[in-house]
Amino acid sequence: MTKIKTLADLRKMKEEAQSKIKLRENSANPDQVVQVKVGMATCGIASGAKETMKYFVEELEQEAIDAVVTQTGCMGYCYAEPTVEVKLPGKEPLVYGHVNKEKVHEIIDKYIKRGELVDGIIPVSFRTIDD
Amino acid sequence: MKTLSEHILDIVQNSVSAKSTLIEIIVEEDKITDLYSLIIRDNGCGMSKETLAKAINPFFTSRTTRKVGLGIPLLKHNAEAAGGSFSLESELNVGTVLTARFQLSNIDRPPLGDIWETLYLMFLSYTDGNLVYRHKTEKGGFQISSDELKEVLGDVSYQQKEIREGILELIKSNLEEIGITK
């Protein structure tokens, strides 16, 4: 593939790949897809949340799972960063702590794909935060 | 925080929480004055004089989930440790400007890090407004914004492999052109 250096190159690449590419329908009805929110406040970033988020994007894509990966703020579990909130369609969100590369793999493989719970869930009456 | 990218990712969250519709990240390297400056400017809700005075205090935060707020103090510390300076200006309902200056040649200046990955993640998450990144070195400048990307890519998911790689390559190759690596 030719090198992408300008926005025009990017547009061309997009048009070439258009047939394979699905529209961003997931943001229109987020309840239908897997939602992954990575805690990305100071504590999360310092613990490597950037890598965690990157792996989520890459692995979910590889596994062809429809998902929205976004950042969120600090959930108050700074000791367990990087923390990740995973919400499967029609289920209550779960929060996992200490999510490194291996854990990302485990969460996707077991929880997201098969619905089995994985170690490292942060219990308590967790409520999703708005920011 | 080991890299400037991580600081940027962190500080921009403040601008996002401030409901900004325009966030500008400007990095400038100047060998003549030996300065490396990072400016983050937004048009969010801003801060009152009282809040502004407290923002550099690590024991102040606007959050309720925890009692400390380390993002700004850590950046200030890193700038000052690298022979630089730090300033924060803000006006209610107008916006906030954060400036961190580092001595370019200082060994304690954090490296930029993988800014392309960082920008990609920010473009992925921040969809409420325009996020602009500008980088200037003596070899030239580069600018990219989320509005431009949106214009080119439309409704396609940025998580799509081809698109993700395309965005990363666009940023990376242009930055390499003006002499920037990790």
Side-chain angles (χ1 to χ4, degrees):
Chain A
M1 197 156 79
T2 47
K3 244 189 171 320
I4 294 167
K5 282 228 63 182
T6 62
L7 287 167
D9 294 343
L10 191 64
R11 191 193 301 268
K12 215 171 121 215
M13 186 233 40
K14 178 203 139 193
E15 277 155 14
E16 278 166 18
Q18 192 89 60
S19 55
K20 285 187 281 176
I21 291 172
K22 35 187 186 296
L23 288 181
R24 206 194 288 196
E25 66 214 0
N26 30 18
S27 54
N29 45 347
D31 293 336
Q32 307 296 310
V33 297
V34 179
Q35 290 178 63
V36 177
K37 290 184 188 170
V38 184
M40 283 265 201
T42 314
C43 45
I45 297 169
S47 320
K50 190 151 67 92
E51 296 301 305
T52 301
M53 184 169 172
K54 195 176 127 192
Y55 291 135
F56 261 113
V57 173
E58 286 172 3
E59 283 232 13
L60 287 168
E61 166 66 37
Q62 210 163 18
E63 300 285 336
I65 297 169
D66 255 347
V68 183
V69 184
T70 50
Q71 304 175 12
T72 184
C74 172
M75 311 182 205
Y77 308 107
C78 307
Y79 58 91
E81 293 289 348
T83 51
V84 174
E85 180 190 324
V86 185
K87 189 181 178 309
L88 299 186
K91 286 196 179 164
E92 285 293 303
L94 275 185
V95 179
Y96 286 96
H98 302 290
V99 184
N100 54 17
K101 196 178 175 183
E102 288 76 45
K103 202 80 201 175
V104 171
H105 183 75
E106 208 185 332
I107 291 173
I108 293 178
D109 200 45
K110 292 203 177 137
Y111 184 59
I112 297 182
K113 280 167 82 173
R114 286 180 272 164
E116 293 171 22
L117 294 183
V118 177
D119 263 355
I121 295 173
I122 296 179
V124 291
S125 50
F126 170 79
R127 287 280 169 272
T128 185
I129 55 171
D130 292 324
D131 66 341
Chain B
M1 303 278 157
K2 294 194 186 91
T3 61
L4 269 187
S5 295
E6 291 177 346
H7 277 299
I8 292 172
L9 186 61
D10 190 12
I11 301 295
V12 165
Q13 291 264 324
N14 294 340
S15 300
V16 175
S17 316
K19 307 255 179 292
S20 311
T21 53
L22 176 65
I23 305 173
E24 292 168 284
I25 306 159
I26 302 153
V27 181
E28 279 178 20
E29 302 175 26
D30 191 337
K31 283 203 172 134
I32 296 158
T33 54
D34 197 24
L35 269 181
Y36 194 105
S37 51
L38 164 68
I39 299 165
I40 298 176
R41 186 189 305 149
D42 72 49
N43 65 353
C45 64
M47 289 176 276
S48 65
K49 276 209 169 62
E50 294 75 34
T51 315
L52 183 63
K54 285 188 279 189
I56 51 167
N57 181 345
F59 296 103
F60 172 77
T61 179
S62 56
R63 286 179 190 285
T64 50
T65 50
R66 54 169 154 74
K67 290 176 181 164
V68 291
L70 300 180
I72 290 171
L74 284 175
L75 177 56
K76 179 172 186 277
H77 173 85
N78 265 345
E80 287 169 355
S85 61
F86 177 89
S87 80
L88 189 61
E89 289 158 44
S90 187
E91 201 177 318
L92 263 184
N93 303 320
V94 176
T96 303
V97 186
L98 174 148
T99 312
R101 291 208 161 83
F102 303 79
Q103 189 192 351
L104 180 61
S105 58
N106 199 299
I107 189 132
D108 287 325
R109 175 177 62 82
L112 182 62
D114 51 357
I115 188 71
W116 39 90
E117 291 283 355
T118 308
L119 284 171
Y120 169 74
L121 294 180
M122 290 194 287
F123 288 140
L124 194 62
S125 302
Y126 177 64
T127 47
D128 300 336
N130 191 16
L131 182 79
V132 185
Y133 179 80
R134 237 174 264 147
H135 200 130
K136 227 170 95 188
T137 68
E138 83 276 5
K139 285 186 185 159
F142 168 65
Q143 172 176 325
I144 187 157
S145 72
S146 55
D147 272 5
E148 289 170 317
L149 284 180
K150 226 177 279 172
E151 217 263 307
V152 169
L153 298 171
D155 272 343
V156 164
S157 166
Y158 293 178
Q159 280 170 236
Q160 194 75 31
K161 187 164 177 279
E162 292 83 4
I163 301 293
R164 187 182 79 228
E165 286 170 354
I167 296 174
L168 289 174
E169 195 182 306
L170 174 72
I171 302 172
K172 207 171 164 182
S173 58
N174 277 289
L175 287 180
E176 273 165 5
E177 189 102 311
I178 54 171
I180 299 157
T181 47
K182 274 192 181 181

